[in-house]
Amino acid sequence: MSGVSKMQNFSGTAQFMASKGMPATEFLLVLAILIEVLGGLAIIIGYQTKWAAGALFLFMIPATLIFHTNFSDPNQMIHFLKNISMMGGLLYIAASGAGPLSLDAKRQG
């Protein structure tokens, strides 16, 4: 959903990224959208799950540290802690892979 909302407000998101000092904001925004949308879909359907979880985990490190460290704002603290929690779940998926109903399991026979 985060990637979809970035698409819906592309220019606003690019401006917000620029305000945080991000270079090449439009390129990095397109990359963020692709990682969030394609990575999320890959995990949902269980396709290349370990790779998708690893990519999302690595993406979330700078995203969390750049955009969610204003701890004087309670909303940003919530987003920071949410991202840390999600990163733990992504590490679990990256280590154990998808379940028996996934496309990965069906491809392995």
Side-chain angles (χ1 to χ4, degrees), residues 43 46 48-51 53 89-100 102 104-105:
I43 289 175
Q48 297 292 319
T49 310
K50 289 184 177 189
W51 285 102
L90 289 167
L91 283 176
Y92 177 81
I93 294 169
S96 59
S102 68
D104 287 346

Side-chain angles (χ1 to χ4, degrees), residues 23-87:
T25 55
E26 290 188 0
F27 171 75
L28 291 174
L29 178 53
V30 169
L31 189 61
I33 290 168
L34 289 172
I35 290 171
E36 289 179 0
V37 171
L38 297 178
L41 288 173
I43 289 175
I44 288 169
I45 65 174
Y47 178 73
Q48 297 292 319
T49 310
K50 289 184 177 189
W51 285 102
L56 283 165
F57 173 81
L58 292 174
F59 163 78
M60 288 185 73
I61 294 170
T64 301
L65 294 174
I66 293 169
F67 297 107
H68 301 302
T69 54
N70 179 9
F71 299 136
S72 64
D73 179 354
N75 188 43
Q76 290 305 314
M77 175 66 88
I78 290 168
H79 283 289
F80 179 85
L81 294 172
K82 174 218 20 132
N83 282 10
I84 297 298
S85 299
M86 288 173 42
M87 290 167 70

